[in-house]
Amino acid sequence: MAEDENGQTTKRQVPAVTRAIAILRFLARSSEPAGVNPIARELGLIPSTCLHILRVLQDEGLVEFDTQTKRYSIGIGILPLARSALQKNTFSTLVQPHLSALSGTFGVTAIATQLAEPGQMVVVALSQSSLPFRLQVDLGSRFPILISATGRLFAAFGPMDEDALRKKFEKLIWDHPPTFEDWLAEIGEAKKRGYAVDRGIYISGVTVVAVPIFNAKGQMIRSLVAIGITERLEDDDIPKLAEALLAVRGEIEQMDITTGS
């Protein structure tokens, strides 16, 4: 930490660390390995600087390098770090039995997500449905922050104005894309009801119900989500499922574990 001219504590920038994190996040998002130049171009880095950072990350096992294609990908060395973070996440530990109960009662896949970085939410706990299911969800899976039911909640309770939402909305990928106006209406409905529903919009034949979890500052930082096959969930099942999710949230909040920023 450092102090400015007014004596206020400020964060000291460490560019090399910031760039390394940006590279790791880029590789984690990328569906295919990438070369130095595309990585540098995407992140606005000087190629030589990007290469030096990649080599250090490779030495630490956080990045893998294919000598034939000359491309980099996220390394398995990241797994112990991720596993340790999940194991030490009190929220994940406490919510897990509740998710298992929801999954068994309603025949859904129940997950808990957490805001991990700008624009991303990550699955930190889950209980898979025993029924055949199309959407593959794993611990650590990441999704755009504004997609599906949880996305409507982040839009409803987050800081973005309509112009910012429109720009983000245009980049979202849906099986059945709604119009921006319809999406805004659903966001308003989600804010009024306190939960959101995506009935086959994000993924055909899949219904997603989500409730928000807030920290002590009133910021939405997590969500509880139930994912089921649409034809198995009747219209009157949705409020019951939402009520069950809200009940779980109430129990979690009583444990006072949602106060993290």
Side-chain angles (χ1 to χ4, degrees):
M1 295 289 185
E3 292 187 355
D4 60 21
E5 59 184 7
N6 297 318
Q8 299 295 316
T9 300
T10 59
K11 292 182 179 179
R12 179 170 295 163
Q13 299 298 314
V14 186
V17 175
T18 301
R19 292 164 184 163
I21 293 173
I23 289 172
L24 289 172
R25 286 176 171 168
F26 173 82
L27 292 176
R29 292 193 303 268
S30 180
S31 59
E32 297 179 351
V36 174
N37 288 330
I39 297 172
R41 184 166 54 250
E42 178 69 21
L43 299 178
L45 302 177
I46 297 172
S48 59
T49 299
C50 184
L51 178 59
H52 290 313
I53 295 174
L54 281 165
R55 285 176 173 171
V56 173
L57 293 173
Q58 180 187 355
D59 290 340
E60 296 296 329
L62 302 179
V63 161
E64 294 182 356
F65 178 64
D66 188 318
T67 57
Q68 293 185 334
T69 64
K70 307 298 182 183
R71 294 182 178 182
Y72 293 86
S73 58
I74 198 73
I76 60 174
I78 205 79
L79 293 178
L81 300 177
R83 187 180 300 112
S84 178
L86 288 174
Q87 290 174 343
K88 294 177 181 178
N89 189 314
T90 304
F91 170 69
S92 301
T93 302
L94 292 179
V95 79
Q96 185 61 56
H98 297 287
L99 298 182
S100 297
L102 283 170
S103 181
T105 299
F106 292 94
V108 297
T109 291
I111 69 174
T113 73
Q114 182 167 312
L115 187 62
E117 61 183 83
Q120 293 283 313
M121 54 186 176
V122 61
V123 176
V124 296
L126 84 160
S127 178
Q128 294 279 10
S129 167
S130 60
L131 300 173
F133 197 65
R134 176 185 166 188
L135 180 62
Q136 178 63 39
V137 182
D138 298 302
L139 282 176
S141 294
R142 292 172 180 267
F143 301 94
I145 194 173
L146 293 180
I147 202 68
S148 195
T150 293
R152 291 171 177 79
L153 295 173
F154 273 114
F157 298 105
M160 285 185 279
D161 59 23
E162 186 171 322
D163 288 339
L165 287 174
R166 184 184 292 275
K167 292 178 182 178
K168 296 287 186 180
F169 173 80
E170 292 173 351
K171 298 179 181 180
L172 298 176
I173 299 175
W174 319 70
D175 272 0
H176 300 285
T179 65
F180 181 68
E181 291 70 25
D182 287 344
W183 189 61
L184 283 182
E186 291 168 356
I187 290 170
E189 185 67 19
K191 190 169 187 177
K192 182 172 66 175
R193 291 185 305 196
Y195 67 89
V197 180
D198 184 306
R199 204 151 171 81
I201 302 299
Y202 176 38
I203 296 178
S204 295
V206 173
T207 292
V208 183
V209 183
V211 302
I213 297 181
F214 305 94
N215 63 11
K217 300 177 182 178
Q219 301 165 325
M220 181 181 167
I221 57 170
R222 301 184 177 102
S223 71
L224 297 173
V225 185
I227 311 169
I229 299 173
T230 297
E231 66 180 15
R232 291 180 178 271
L233 289 173
E234 302 293 339
D235 288 341
D236 58 356
D237 289 332
I238 303 302
K240 296 176 184 177
L241 189 50
E243 184 178 350
L245 288 167
L246 290 168
V248 171
R249 184 184 70 181
E251 293 187 38
I252 297 299
E253 287 178 340
Q254 287 180 5
M255 298 174 186
D256 195 31
I257 63 166
T258 64
T259 56
S261 59

